[in-house]
Amino acid sequence: MGIPSEMRDMWVNTRRRDAFLIPSPLEDEMRLKALRAKTCTQEGSRQGFKAACIWGAVSAVPTLTAVRMIPWAKRNLNYTAQALIISAASIAAYFITADRSILECARKNAQLQLALSRQK
């Protein structure tokens, strides 16, 4: 029984090959930069989602109130128009907030990298 010889040789060769590879400092730096960019993007999308939820609720209240109380809005704003008004506010809030937070995070990372390069 046991492990077939072909699989055993493949497993041994991959383990040995990885043991001799040592990443260069440039590769480590690029990996760290990619990790920071991914973190910034995730944080930006998280903050954008929060802002979209808040502004969706904030824009829904006056829109739905206006449709029920203002005669012009009753006549001219159907369900599609109401949904477009509310979703436009949500989408705008998402993209504006996500863009601002991603740029802020990138600025912090650039300042950190500049400070680290000055120390060397």
Side-chain angles (χ1 to χ4, degrees):
M1 291 275 159
I3 300 173
S5 61
E6 295 170 348
M7 290 182 71
R8 183 191 65 215
D9 293 338
M10 184 177 68
W11 183 75
V12 169
N13 289 337
T14 57
R15 297 285 295 176
R16 189 179 306 138
R17 184 180 66 226
D18 291 341
F20 290 116
L21 293 178
I22 299 172
S24 72
L26 183 60
E27 288 175 335
D28 283 340
E29 184 179 322
M30 295 304 282
R31 209 173 282 142
L32 186 61
K33 189 181 280 190
L35 180 64
R36 283 190 204 133
K38 184 177 180 182
T39 305
C40 286
T41 305
Q42 288 174 348
E43 183 64 28
S45 63
R46 190 175 302 119
Q47 288 181 0
F49 179 73
K50 287 178 186 178
C53 291
I54 291 168
W55 280 100
V58 166
S59 66
V61 171
T63 303
L64 297 176
T65 303
V67 168
R68 282 160 183 74
M69 295 185 171
I70 300 172
W72 178 88
K74 280 184 184 179
R75 285 191 309 268
N76 295 319
L77 295 178
N78 60 10
Y79 295 120
T80 306
Q82 295 169 32
L84 285 173
I85 291 169
I86 296 167
S87 64
S90 298
I91 291 168
Y94 174 83
F95 282 110
I96 290 169
T97 306
D99 187 44
R100 281 180 44 208
S101 63
I102 289 171
L103 288 175
E104 181 182 336
C105 186
R107 190 178 305 116
K108 285 180 185 177
N109 285 338
Q111 290 173 353
L112 175 68
Q113 191 172 4
L114 183 64
L116 289 175
S117 67
R118 287 181 182 169
Q119 287 181 353
K120 290 180 184 180

